[in-house]
Amino acid sequence: MKVLVINAGSSSLKYQLYDMTDETVLAKGLVERIGMDSSILTHKPTGKEEVTEVSEILEHTTAIRKVLEKLTDKEHGVLSSVDEIQAVGHRVVHGGETFKGSALVTPEVKAEIRRLFDLAPLHNPPAIMGINAAEVNMPGVPNVVAFDTAFHQTMEEKVYLYPIPKVLYKKHRIRRYGAHGTSHQYVSRVAAEFLNRPIEELKIITCHIGNGASLTAVKGGVSVDTSMGLTPLEGLMMGTRSGDLDPTVVTFVMNKEELSISEVNSMLNKHSGLLAISGSSSDMRDITDGWEAGKPNETLAFEMYEYRLRKYIGAYAAAMNGVDVIVFTAGVGENSAIVREKTCENLSYLGVELDKELNKVRSGEPRRISTPNSKVEILVIPTNEELMIARDTLQIVQESK
Ligand SMILES: Nc1ncnc2c1ncn2[C@@H]1O[C@H](COP(=O)(O)OP(=O)(O)O)[C@@H](O)[C@H]1O
Ligand SMILES: CC(=O)OP(=O)(O)O
Ligand SMILES: [Mg+2]
């Protein structure tokens, strides 16, 4: 079965086409700047040359139509007809308490995702646009949704509740939900396989540090705590998101600077984190370059980022009463040897011993970067949210027949 996986953002759409007979990627790509004047489509067919096309793409339906044109193009395509695509899988960030796993898209499922718009105003609306666009362009083809929150539905009440009046949970379902669950689940499973140990025995801390960043405590294969909360703003310092702060900062700033709710939301989600402290960039590559060059703002941004990451690792070792494995994944986790080195340097009290040479090796494969003496296994595992979504899509579509 050929499965198209879509990860729709507000102004972007990432895609991967899988042949699920052997889980190979036939093509992947990205549409950026949807709704802006010059949209960019980058299409990478496996084994063929990458193509980039600039045009006006005003909304997601057109974006998917353009992607399907590329997938069936004589020169750059990998399919003879769109009909070869038998199912579409979508990443949805917020599934609330309703979705504990992936689901076949029905009118009811779409209504529930819409009902959750309030809880993920940045993430869920584009997901619905992606689903609608797939339905318009590929009528009759089943759609499946995979939720970032689903893996974290195993957290206990004492972990997911905030210590605020309970009526707010009853009325509005305000609680910790977490995100990046597909990634945390995937890398924790691969870690257990890599170590050849049953996941049921392991205490794993998975560090998904990309543009958005979150940590999860995975005990016995299930999520017992995670750093993102009601929305993907809580927890670690990120590229443009603040992560943890005293909630009074919000009301104080709103009052003193006369900011509206949407202005303060935008400040915390889009103008904070590495970008705010460095004053120059949200990209860890630029921050690291600045730190190496001795620039003070980038150095402070780097140190704050690493310090906050390390504090969370300590917290999750405490949450599980120990840790056997720490996994680094996503853009920063997979690529930044210096972030991993500095973080591990200060975890010696846990018995962490990093092999600095192994840490520098670049590879797209799961790998160990701790010494044989280290009490904690330190692994780098490339995440693959799309493959997880494609697998769930295949299974759910087959079961529904
Ligand atoms: N070589 C590298 N060194 C440090 N950071 C990197 C490197 N390559 C990528 N990154 C970081 O990874 C981030 C993107 O991570 P990714 O997981 O792809 O994020 P997202 O899925 O949220 O777009 C970039 O913003 C960049 O900071
Ligand atoms: C939930 C979230 O933060 O997603 P991303 O890392 O893709 O921004
Ligand atoms: Mg991501």
Side-chain angles (χ1 to χ4, degrees):
M1 184 187 284
K2 298 206 170 96
V3 174
L4 180 65
V5 176
I6 290 174
N7 182 352
S10 53
S11 67
S12 72
L13 188 144
K14 293 184 195 164
Y15 62 93
Q16 282 200 26
L17 180 69
Y18 282 92
D19 182 344
M20 292 309 286
T21 45
D22 53 3
E23 297 190 338
T24 47
V25 177
L26 300 175
K28 59 178 163 183
L30 163 72
V31 187
E32 294 167 280
R33 298 174 56 85
I34 299 171
M36 297 176 218
D37 44 8
S38 46
S39 314
I40 307 161
L41 168 66
T42 311
H43 174 69
K44 293 181 201 167
T46 306
K48 295 186 193 175
E49 215 170 304
E50 176 179 314
V51 274
T52 304
E53 193 178 279
V54 179
S55 63
E56 192 180 59
I57 301 179
L58 290 178
E59 30 67 60
H60 289 67
T61 307
T62 317
I64 294 206
R65 185 167 51 75
K66 295 263 185 194
V67 168
L68 295 177
E69 278 169 19
K70 279 281 166 287
L71 289 171
T72 51
D73 185 86
K74 280 211 169 58
E75 204 181 331
H76 310 292
V78 291
L79 298 174
S80 49
S81 149
V82 172
D83 298 341
E84 285 182 53
I85 301 174
Q86 286 159 294
V88 185
H90 300 263
R91 176 193 182 205
V92 181
V93 167
H94 224 302
E97 290 183 325
T98 316
F99 298 103
K100 301 193 191 314
S102 302
L104 191 69
V105 173
T106 60
E108 294 74 32
V109 166
K110 278 167 71 173
E112 187 59 19
I113 297 170
R114 277 203 202 89
R115 209 182 56 77
L116 293 162
F117 275 7
D118 267 359
L119 291 182
L122 299 179
H123 289 95
N124 275 26
I128 281 286
M129 289 193 273
I131 296 166
N132 288 341
E135 286 175 342
V136 169
N137 285 288
M138 289 170 274
V141 175
N143 287 277
V144 168
V145 276
F147 298 93
D148 266 39
T149 46
F151 180 58
H152 302 301
Q153 280 293 302
T154 46
M155 287 185 295
E156 290 178 32
E157 193 180 33
K158 71 173 184 221
V159 176
Y160 70 68
L161 279 187
Y162 292 118
I164 56 174
K166 265 186 114 174
V167 65
L168 294 170
Y169 172 64
K170 289 211 178 83
K171 265 174 83 178
H172 306 293
R173 296 286 144 194
I174 292 177
R175 49 160 285 181
R176 174 182 310 287
Y177 291 97
H180 298 137
T182 310
S183 174
H184 290 293
Q185 183 176 27
Y186 175 79
V187 298
S188 57
R189 280 186 193 171
V190 175
E193 281 163 23
F194 179 87
L195 296 168
N196 206 9
R197 289 179 63 184
I199 199 163
E200 292 74 23
E201 284 176 5
L202 293 173
K203 296 171 181 172
I204 309 176
I205 298 176
T206 48
C207 311
H208 176 108
I209 44 178
N211 199 16
S214 68
L215 249 70
T216 298
V218 183
K219 194 175 180 187
V222 300
S223 168
V224 295
D225 202 351
T226 194
S227 61
M228 283 181 169
L230 176 71
T231 74
L233 180 57
E234 193 181 341
L236 298 168
M237 177 170 168
M238 308 177 214
T240 62
R241 289 173 237 171
S242 63
D244 293 341
L245 43 76
D246 180 345
T248 311
V249 172
V250 179
T251 47
F252 192 91
V253 170
M254 285 178 83
N255 186 30
K256 292 278 178 198
E257 299 286 322
E258 295 181 9
L259 295 187
S260 66
I261 293 174
S262 81
E263 283 167 334
V264 80
N265 265 334
S266 165
M267 178 193 94
L268 295 170
N269 280 291
K270 297 184 181 156
H271 306 285
S272 294
L274 290 174
L275 177 64
I277 301 300
S278 69
S280 60
S281 174
S282 62
D283 192 312
M284 184 49 87
R285 285 165 285 207
D286 300 329
I287 303 301
T288 311
D289 288 349
W291 172 73
E292 278 168 358
K295 292 187 183 167
N297 294 338
E298 281 78 359
T299 301
L300 180 60
F302 182 87
E303 287 178 351
M304 284 174 68
Y305 184 97
E306 181 277 318
Y307 177 68
R308 285 173 167 246
L309 172 59
R310 176 155 47 94
K311 276 212 296 191
Y312 257 105
I313 293 175
Y316 285 177
M320 294 189 287
N321 189 18
V323 52
D324 303 306
V325 189
I326 298 173
V327 179
F328 287 96
T329 193
V332 178
E334 290 166 31
N335 298 301
S336 178
I338 194 68
V339 167
R340 296 192 300 256
E341 184 183 318
K342 289 291 160 196
T343 307
C344 290
E345 226 168 63
N346 289 292
L347 295 174
S348 54
Y349 74 99
L350 288 174
V352 166
E353 223 180 84
L354 191 75
D355 183 320
K356 287 193 181 176
E357 291 313 309
L358 280 182
N359 183 42
K360 285 184 196 141
V361 176
R362 296 188 71 84
S363 145
E365 296 298 314
R367 57 199 186 275
R368 182 190 271 111
I369 56 169
S370 47
T371 66
N373 281 335
S374 182
K375 290 207 180 77
V376 183
E377 303 273 7
I378 312 293
L379 307 180
V380 179
I381 299 183
T383 194
N384 199 338
E385 291 155 292
E386 291 78 12
L387 178 60
M388 285 285 279
I389 296 170
R391 284 177 182 166
D392 276 12
T393 303
L394 175 71
Q395 192 189 341
I396 286 174
V397 168
Q398 280 177 340
E399 281 169 6
S400 74
K401 278 185 178 159

